[in-house]
């Protein structure tokens, strides 16, 4: 009986250390991965070679090919009417999980990701200069089930090449929502 209590106590101690180490928005732990701004290109899901990346995975900062990876957070397409759109997973019939939230402020003015009001099941129209906050699918890791966040700005849309160029910053720290370059505070 005593041995079981010691093991339980040890497991609780390890769990507490892991939660403290991962950092979240409740003030536990510290961020250890700096946020950086990057530039990426995505190609439309329709009428482009399958070998070109059409989607983005927020956790891991990765452009991905949809024929190789089903676990992505948003994709890019150009509709039959010529409208460029970002597609969260729900808009692609992959389950309502990730989200896009259009913004009316500049890319640099966004310092923290909101926790609600993400478009999760419809295409989000974009144009040159559009800014949005993006939220990942729920991710299960040593911190529990959390979302990862980022912000994007449309730098250019090339309708001939069917490509969008984005400026993007993602917070890779477990549970943090800070969207400024450097180590996030929250």
């Amino acid at each position: 009986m005593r041995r079981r209590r010691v093991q339980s106590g040890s497991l609780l101690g390890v769990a507490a250390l892991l939660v403290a180490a991962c950092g979240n928005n409740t003030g536990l732990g510290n961020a250890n991965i700096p946020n950086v701004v990057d530039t990426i290109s995505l190609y439309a899901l329709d009428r482009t070679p399958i070998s070109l990346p059409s989607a983005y995975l927020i956790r891991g900062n990765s452009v991905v090919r949809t024929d190789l990876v089903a676990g992505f957070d948003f994709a890019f397409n150009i509709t039959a009417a010529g409208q460029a759109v970002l597609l969260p997973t729900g808009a692609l019939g992959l389950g309502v999980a990730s989200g896009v939230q259009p913004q009316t402020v500049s890319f640099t003015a966004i310092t923290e990701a909101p926790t609600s009001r993400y478009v999760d099941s419809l295409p989000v129209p974009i144009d040159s200069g559009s800014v949005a906050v993006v939220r990942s699918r729920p991710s299960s890791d040593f911190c529990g089930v959390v979302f990862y966040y980022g912000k994007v700005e449309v730098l250019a849309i090339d309708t001939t090449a069917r490509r969008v160029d984005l400026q993007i910053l993602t917070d890779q720290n477990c549970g943090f929502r800070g969207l400024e370059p450097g180590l996030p505070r929250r």
Side-chain angles (χ1 to χ4, degrees), residues 37-121:
V37 177
D38 197 5
T39 303
I40 63 166
S41 296
L42 297 176
Y43 295 83
L45 288 169
D46 300 329
R47 299 186 329 183
T48 61
I50 193 83
S51 61
L52 296 174
S54 297
Y56 193 79
L57 179 61
I58 295 171
R59 182 176 182 206
N61 292 328
S62 303
V63 294
V64 296
R65 291 175 39 184
T66 57
D67 65 320
L68 298 177
V69 177
F72 55 83
D73 297 308
F74 65 89
F76 168 70
N77 205 12
I78 298 176
T79 67
Q83 176 66 61
V85 293
L86 291 181
L87 300 160
T89 54
L92 293 165
L94 299 175
V96 176
S98 65
V100 178
Q101 187 182 100
Q103 299 290 304
T104 58
V105 298
S106 72
F107 182 83
T108 56
I110 301 167
T111 59
E112 185 174 308
T115 57
S116 62
R117 299 188 186 264
Y118 287 87
V119 177
D120 57 14
S121 55

Side-chain angles (χ1 to χ4, degrees), residues 139-161:
S139 180
S140 200
D141 57 23
F142 65 88
C143 293
V145 178
V146 296
F147 292 103
Y148 287 82
Y149 298 91
K151 62 181 177 178
V152 299
E153 178 179 19
V154 178
L155 300 175
I157 298 171
D158 182 335
T159 55
T160 303

